[in-house]
Amino acid sequence: MSKLNDLPLVYKTFVAEPYTPTIGATIHGLDLSQPLSDVAKSELQQALATYEVIFFRDQNITPAQQVEFTRTFGHVNEVKAFFPRVENQPEIEIVESTAERPSAANNWHADITWRDNPPVGTSLYAQVIPSSGGDTIWSSLTTAYEQLPAEFKAYLETLTAVHTWEISRWTEYLLGKDSSGQQLAEARAKYPPVEHPVVRVHPVTGKKILYVNPTFTSHIKGLPRAQSDALLAQLYALITVPEYQARLRWQPNTLAVWDNRSTQHYAVGDYFPQHRKLHRITFTADQAF
């Protein structure tokens, strides 16, 4: 297993403290309410690609400052999903759970892999945190791939998977909004299923990544359904291996940034009916891969 803390990762503008031996780092020495130098931005991009998820504690920033900081990693546009937005800052989604409307993305996924060019990452900033619970977990699909036998890797690299939002909770959500099915039909026409290789190559690190997830991957193209389901179940089990994971306990003013290509994440839904609220920004690239 690769060990991040065995690598000579020294940065000029901050200190990166490995969070686990395989994934994640806490970044020390930066005040994100202040403009970052070009050197700091370049080093943060390198750190994100290397560690796959990076954490910043005790950052007192405004919505506009979160948007500006997130531009370090990619294009920041007005979001297109179904979450409410921050007033006067439409790039930011409000991810919130209350006693009246409990919710959590407590399923393993990478965001919006049902697009030809999926997002490359996300920044998530704590607003209201439960007294306990509500952690987020990330799993390294780079490490998961690296641990596979060579023959199995070679086989996986010949395969293509189909990704679609229709197997997720979005179908139920759209029917709940419009029982006639009109919104569902429009979404199907606008966002048909897409195909991605089962193994992709990260454009920055050059490392190979398992690129299937249980929320949006429906099947392996060309395999009988039973064989496809069995193979996907085997790959999905790798996501749950603790040695491949980083689990963040949120604190007020904590900000997390992750690479949506090389990780999957899971929001632990163990805190209801407590209030949990975060500000989320998705960032993109002209080409994710």
Side-chain angles (χ1 to χ4, degrees):
M1 185 180 297
S2 63
K3 302 289 185 179
L4 288 176
N5 54 6
D6 290 341
L7 302 176
L9 301 177
V10 178
Y11 301 98
K12 296 178 181 178
T13 58
F14 55 81
V15 174
E17 176 189 3
Y19 197 77
T20 78
T22 54
I23 177 175
T26 302
I27 305 300
H28 303 281
L30 290 178
D31 179 353
L32 304 186
S33 70
Q34 302 300 313
L36 297 175
S37 68
D38 290 343
V39 173
K41 291 178 181 180
S42 177
E43 291 190 332
L44 284 171
Q45 293 163 11
Q46 295 171 27
L48 179 60
T50 299
Y51 290 103
E52 302 183 325
V53 58
I54 53 179
F55 307 124
F56 303 81
R57 297 288 195 184
D58 301 317
Q59 297 291 332
N60 189 6
I61 57 174
T62 66
Q65 288 167 340
Q66 184 187 357
V67 171
E68 186 59 32
F69 167 72
T70 305
R71 288 197 175 102
T72 298
F73 304 101
H75 305 317
V76 174
N77 303 310
E78 182 175 346
V79 291
K80 307 298 183 184
F82 302 113
F83 291 92
R85 322 290 168 79
V86 171
E87 187 176 1
N88 300 323
Q89 209 68 66
E91 305 93 341
I92 301 179
E93 297 170 298
I94 301 172
V95 179
E96 186 170 23
S97 177
T98 64
E100 295 74 25
R101 299 187 65 182
S103 65
N106 53 341
N107 54 305
W108 284 108
H109 65 286
D111 291 330
I112 318 182
T113 62
W114 42 266
R115 298 292 299 270
D116 284 323
N117 190 39
V120 298
T122 301
S123 79
L124 192 62
Y125 182 50
Q127 301 290 306
V128 180
I129 300 302
S131 59
S132 63
D135 297 352
T136 302
I137 310 172
W138 289 265
S139 186
S140 171
L141 278 298
T142 309
T143 303
Y145 173 84
E146 289 173 349
Q147 304 312 305
L148 296 174
E151 296 82 0
F152 192 29
K153 290 179 184 176
Y155 170 64
L156 293 176
E157 290 176 25
T158 68
L159 301 177
T160 299
V162 176
H163 295 239
T164 174
W165 55 269
E166 288 194 59
I167 63 172
S168 72
R169 298 171 184 172
W170 284 30
T171 297
E172 180 181 347
Y173 173 84
L174 290 171
L175 285 174
K177 286 186 65 179
D178 176 14
S179 60
S180 73
Q182 180 63 31
Q183 286 195 26
L184 179 61
E186 291 173 356
R188 282 174 171 162
K190 188 174 182 179
Y191 301 115
V194 301
E195 298 177 2
H196 293 293
V198 170
V199 178
R200 306 218 65 156
V201 177
H202 195 285
V204 179
T205 65
K207 294 182 178 181
K208 294 179 178 178
I209 304 158
L210 281 178
Y211 202 70
V212 292
N213 72 88
T215 300
F216 297 126
T217 304
S218 63
H219 62 280
I220 304 294
K221 186 179 178 181
L223 293 185
R225 174 59 73 168
Q227 185 178 346
S228 171
D229 289 348
L231 178 56
L232 287 173
Q234 182 179 3
L235 299 179
Y236 296 157
L238 298 173
I239 305 167
T240 66
V241 174
E243 286 82 358
Y244 304 163
Q245 296 177 357
R247 180 169 180 149
L248 177 69
R249 183 169 187 178
W250 291 94
Q251 298 171 355
N253 298 327
T254 293
L255 186 144
V257 182
W258 68 89
D259 190 315
N260 192 59
R261 296 166 291 198
S262 57
T263 68
Q264 290 181 36
H265 56 283
Y266 184 108
V268 181
D270 59 354
Y271 54 92
F272 309 128
Q274 296 183 81
H275 187 193
R276 182 178 185 267
K277 179 180 178 182
L278 304 104
H279 284 178
R280 183 175 75 180
I281 302 176
T282 300
F283 53 92
T284 62
D286 292 337
Q287 288 294 325
F289 292 97

